Amino acid sequence: MKNKNKSRVGAQAVGRKIRVSVTKMRRIIDRIRNCSYEEALVSPEFMPYKACYLVSQLILSAAANASTNFGWNKSDLLIGEAWVDNSTYLRRFRPRAQGRGYPIKKPTCKVTIKPSSKFVEK
């Protein structure tokens, strides 16, 4: 039973509650989608964004999951699917006049990366 579920889900890496807004993370994820593993690993290193390090760690994790669980070669991997979803907000309060508090919402996001092999038939 476990093998059926594993093959249906496929290899993936999920980053939860990453402290970056969704729009800032999407501009990185959109550039690596449908790229080869090597290209997806190198391209965030040359982008000037804080979240690039987190994305490259997720790419490494997804490739390690694919090679460990499915025996896929890392040089044959593509970043097949990658998406970003909204997650919860960190709620903070800023002191304001006359004892009031003003809410500050700090956004977080959830990133999912699913690699696929070049040679696996769908």
Side-chain angles (χ1 to χ4, degrees):
M1 285 247 174
K2 286 186 177 180
N3 291 339
K4 284 185 177 181
N5 291 336
K6 189 191 294 186
S7 64
R8 185 177 61 203
V9 170
Q12 69 177 8
V14 179
R16 290 184 177 92
K17 295 188 180 179
I18 296 175
R19 180 55 192 92
V20 178
S21 70
V22 176
T23 54
K24 291 178 183 178
M25 188 63 86
R26 277 194 184 132
R27 68 184 172 195
I28 301 167
I29 294 295
D30 289 340
R31 289 188 187 176
I32 66 164
R33 191 179 292 123
N34 298 323
C35 291
S36 67
Y37 167 69
E38 292 88 3
E39 186 179 346
L41 197 58
V42 170
S43 62
E45 293 180 9
F46 299 104
M47 294 183 206
Y49 307 123
K50 178 185 88 168
C52 289
Y53 176 75
L54 301 169
V55 170
S56 62
Q57 293 298 311
L58 278 173
I59 293 168
L60 286 172
S61 177
N65 290 340
S67 65
T68 302
N69 297 335
F70 295 97
W72 293 345
N73 191 2
K74 288 185 180 181
S75 62
D76 298 333
L77 290 179
L78 296 170
I79 304 301
E81 297 179 42
W83 67 88
V84 183
D85 294 325
N86 275 326
S87 187
T88 58
Y89 285 95
L90 293 176
R91 299 191 71 220
R92 302 291 183 259
F93 289 94
R94 182 93 180 140
R96 301 302 285 196
Q98 299 179 356
R100 295 188 176 96
Y102 185 76
I104 296 173
K105 293 182 185 177
K106 296 187 175 188
T108 61
C109 65
K110 175 184 171 185
V111 181
T112 306
I113 295 177
K114 282 189 167 185
S116 60
S117 181
K118 295 177 185 177
F119 301 113
V120 174
E121 295 180 11
K122 292 184 179 182

